[in-house]
Amino acid sequence: QPTLMESGGGSVQAGGSLRLSCATSGGTASRPHMGWFRQTPGKDREGVASIDSFGEDIAYSDSVKGRFTISQDHAKFTVYLQMNNLRPEDTAKYYCARASRPLFGSAVFRPDSYHFWGQGTQVTVSP
């Protein structure tokens, strides 16, 4: 069973940047789909970015498009989320997730499409 561990969260002022990392280990899926989600208390988990194993099928939610970039380094078994021009509304706990098979269309942003999750890392953006 794969494990995922996020890091890189913190507190920044609006307009600042952070890079989140998700280190993965274990698992046997040859083509896992990876996603980044975020969640604030009392709200549903929101998908913000996803990437297929080939790095060819990348998707972003409208709320982060143009500001966030997802990437991966297979040699390091790590997925990244570069977040620029952060806004207070980006404040949330960010989770990375792994699906055991390729995902398509709207499925990439559905939490129930993913089988494994990290513990999350907090991002706080002050005005």
Side-chain angles (χ1 to χ4, degrees):
Q1 178 153 333
T3 59
L4 291 75
M5 182 173 293
E6 303 93 339
S7 61
S11 298
V12 296
Q13 289 189 321
S17 298
L18 285 172
R19 187 175 81 156
L20 305 183
S21 299
C22 173
T24 67
S25 62
T28 59
S30 60
R31 298 180 60 191
H33 209 107
M34 300 296 297
W36 282 99
F37 289 75
R38 64 187 182 188
Q39 189 170 26
T40 54
K43 292 191 176 181
D44 292 336
R45 197 162 289 191
E46 173 195 15
V48 297
S50 72
I51 187 169
D52 72 341
S53 62
F54 300 107
E56 295 174 348
D57 185 8
I58 294 175
Y60 298 98
S61 66
D62 288 342
S63 59
V64 307
K65 197 173 295 182
R67 301 187 297 121
F68 290 12
T69 303
I70 188 171
S71 61
Q72 59 191 353
D73 185 335
H74 287 302
K76 296 182 178 179
F77 303 99
T78 301
V79 178
Y80 304 98
L81 185 67
Q82 177 67 44
M83 306 186 296
N84 297 328
N85 192 21
L86 283 161
R87 304 167 180 169
E89 54 264 38
D90 294 318
T91 294
K93 195 164 188 179
Y94 284 71
Y95 299 86
C96 70
R98 172 175 169 151
S100 297
R101 57 184 179 272
L103 302 176
F104 304 96
S106 61
V108 302
F109 287 147
R110 285 209 311 265
D112 61 5
S113 297
Y114 293 82
H115 307 92
F116 306 101
W117 293 82
Q119 295 299 308
T121 185
Q122 179 67 35
V123 171
T124 303
V125 185
S126 57

